[in-house]
Amino acid sequence: MDAEYLLTKFDNELRLKVLTNIWHGKSLTVSTTFWGLMVNILPEYGLYPQVNLAQIQQTLKRRNLITEQQPGLLVLTKAGQISKANYASQHYLPPNQSINLKYDLLAFKNIFLLANQAISELAYHNRHFYPYQIEAKQQWQIKQWLKRYPRERLIKQWQEALHLWLATLPVKDADDFVATLFGHQIPGKLLTDLKQKPTWTLFDKQQWQLAMFADLLVYSVNEQTIIGQLAQLAKRSLLAQSAAKTLELWQAGVSIEAISRARQLKITTIREHLLQGVMLENWAPPAIKKLIPPLEQVKLAACFNKQSDFKHWSFEAYGSANQPALFTYFRLWQLCAFYEERADDRQ
C-alpha cells in the first residue's frame, strides 16, 4: 500500500484503531461500526488484511504529514493536507464499495477468476489444467457450482453475462480488465504490464482492478446473470448471529424488554444489537426513530437539530454517563441525521 493513501481517509481526524479493525477484518464493535460509517471506511471491511498500519503511521509521522492529537487519534498537519490533495490528483481513488458489506469482495474476485479459468478450459474440452490457487473450500464450492450446468449452456451464458457487463464500461477499462484474465493457453497480463496513467503505482492498479470486480459484482447481482448466481458463494453478513436473532425478534414486533427476557440478555446488549442492525443494514430514518420514544425524540431535536455537524455532537448536551439508554437514543439520532444527509446527497 502507498503510505500516502492513508491520508485520503482523513476528514478532520482519524482513529487508528477503528481503521485497523476495519481494514484487517476484525470483529466489529458498535463503536468501530459507528465511526467507520461516519468517516466512510466501513465499506472497506477486510480489504487490506496484510497492511501494517503501525509502520505506515510511523512513516507519515517522520515526514510530518500526520500528528497524534491524543493516543490513537491522528490529525493531518498542513503538509499532510497538501500531500493528501496531491495524492488524490495523481492516483486512483476507488469509489464507495458498499457492496463489500454484503458480499466478500476479495472472495468474489478469487471465485470469479477460478470459475472463468475453468469455463475457458471447458470450452476447449480440456479436463486437466493447473487451477488458480484459492482457498480449498472456495475451490470445492466452485466445482460443485459448475456441475449444476450443462457444459454448452454454461459457456454460452457466461460469455453473454461477461460481454453485457463489459459493454457498460469505458473501452479502456474493458480492454484492460479482459487483458488480465487467464484461461486456456492465455496467461493474462500482470497489472504491472498495463499501460495506465504514468503517476499510478502498482497499488493504484490493484485498487482499480478491485473496483472493476466491485462493479462486475453489483451489475451481475442486479441483472441476475449467471455471474450473479456465482456471486452468492461470496455472500456474507457482518451482523453477528446473536444480533441477527435480536433484530429478527424486534422486526416481528417483540419489545426490547421481552427480547431481553426471552434471550436472557441484558437490555444494554439488546440495544447494542439493534444499533448494529441499524448501521450494517442501512435502516431508513423512519425505521430508526421507532426505536426512540417520542418524548426522547422531542428532547433530542431540541438539543441537536440546529447543529449541522452531527459527527461532533456532544452526548453531554443530552444525557450523562450513567444513562446508557439515553446514549443509545443519542447514537440513533446521529444515525438518523447521517442517513438523511446521505439521502440528500443522492438527490
Side-chain angles (χ1 to χ4, degrees):
M1 174 180 283
D2 300 333
E4 293 88 347
Y5 178 70
L6 181 62
L7 302 177
T8 68
K9 301 295 131 182
F10 281 78
D11 184 2
N12 295 317
E13 59 192 25
L14 183 68
R15 291 167 172 79
L16 187 64
K17 185 176 181 181
V18 170
L19 184 64
T20 301
N21 289 345
I22 290 173
W23 274 8
H24 289 183
K26 295 183 179 180
S27 179
L28 287 172
T29 64
V30 170
S31 178
T32 295
T33 307
F34 177 80
W35 287 112
L37 193 64
M38 291 297 105
V39 297
N40 201 29
I41 58 175
L42 190 59
E44 299 175 19
Y45 179 82
L47 290 184
Y48 311 106
Q50 307 303 326
V51 169
N52 188 332
L53 275 164
Q55 187 177 68
I56 291 176
Q57 177 189 5
Q58 290 306 313
T59 298
L60 296 176
K61 277 185 175 180
R62 283 197 303 270
R63 294 170 57 188
N64 193 35
L65 300 179
I66 61 172
T67 186
E68 201 161 8
Q69 197 171 59
Q70 53 183 269
L73 186 64
L74 308 176
V75 295
L76 290 176
T77 63
K78 288 185 178 179
Q81 293 170 1
I82 295 170
S83 186
K84 172 186 173 181
N86 289 339
Y87 186 89
S89 67
Q90 297 177 17
H91 296 267
Y92 181 81
L93 297 183
N96 187 303
Q97 296 172 341
S98 57
I99 190 67
N100 185 53
L101 297 175
K102 294 185 177 180
Y103 293 83
D104 185 331
L105 187 51
L106 293 181
F108 171 72
K109 172 187 171 183
N110 286 332
I111 287 168
F112 172 86
L113 288 173
L114 179 53
N116 190 71
Q117 179 193 18
I119 293 168
S120 174
E121 298 290 355
L122 283 172
Y124 288 88
H125 299 269
N126 185 18
R127 292 181 176 272
H128 302 286
F129 60 94
Y130 187 74
Y132 174 61
Q133 295 301 292
I134 62 176
E135 292 182 7
K137 179 182 177 181
Q138 292 174 343
Q139 288 189 39
W140 181 86
Q141 288 177 318
I142 293 169
K143 188 175 182 179
Q144 299 306 308
W145 182 82
L146 291 170
K147 288 179 178 178
R148 290 165 44 190
Y149 297 90
R151 188 176 68 87
E152 295 301 329
R153 176 184 161 203
L154 175 66
I155 295 167
K156 181 181 178 182
Q157 290 190 3
W158 187 267
Q159 288 178 328
E160 288 176 350
L162 190 53
H163 288 162
L164 284 170
W165 170 67
L166 289 168
T168 68
L169 300 178
V171 173
K172 170 66 173 168
D173 283 338
D175 288 345
D176 283 348
F177 183 84
V178 170
T180 63
L181 299 181
F182 47 86
H184 182 71
Q185 297 183 343
I186 300 174
K189 284 187 177 182
L190 298 175
L191 289 176
T192 50
D193 295 331
L194 296 181
K195 295 187 182 302
Q196 294 174 316
K197 292 184 179 180
T199 56
W200 281 18
T201 63
L202 175 59
F203 179 68
D204 289 315
K205 294 179 180 182
Q206 292 168 339
Q207 292 282 81
W208 166 83
Q209 184 189 50
L210 198 60
M212 291 297 98
F213 277 106
D215 193 86
L216 171 60
L217 177 53
V218 171
Y219 176 87
S220 303
V221 170
N222 289 343
E223 297 299 321
Q224 299 180 339
T225 69
I226 194 170
I227 298 175
Q229 294 170 25
L230 175 73
Q232 301 311 308
L233 299 180
K235 196 168 186 178
R236 67 175 174 188
S237 173
L238 298 184
L239 194 64
Q241 287 186 350
S242 182
K245 180 61 179 175
T246 294
L247 208 61
E248 181 183 336
L249 291 170
W250 165 261
Q251 290 172 333
V254 184
S255 69
I256 290 176
E257 292 75 14
I259 296 172
S260 174
R261 290 193 299 270
R263 303 203 60 208
Q264 297 184 327
L265 294 172
K266 294 179 180 178
I267 285 181
T268 52
T269 301
I270 300 301
R271 290 196 183 103
E272 286 183 353
H273 287 173
L274 293 172
L275 264 175
Q276 282 287 64
V278 166
M279 293 184 286
L280 293 176
E281 299 197 353
N282 295 321
W283 286 25
I288 297 174
K289 288 178 180 177
K290 289 181 180 178
L291 291 166
I292 308 172
L295 182 58
E296 298 305 323
Q297 291 188 40
V298 173
K299 294 178 182 177
L300 286 159
C303 288
F304 302 113
N305 277 18
K306 292 183 180 180
Q307 299 182 30
S308 58
D309 189 5
F310 54 83
K311 295 177 188 176
H312 296 94
W313 285 353
S314 172
F315 170 62
E316 285 71 24
Y318 168 60
S320 59
N322 62 350
Q323 296 174 299
L326 295 190
F327 186 76
T328 300
Y329 301 148
F330 167 72
R331 276 283 188 255
L332 289 168
W333 201 252
Q334 278 183 297
L335 289 166
C336 281
F338 170 77
Y339 287 121
E340 285 168 353
E341 180 183 85
R342 195 158 75 175
D344 290 341
D345 290 343
R346 287 174 180 170
Q347 292 176 359

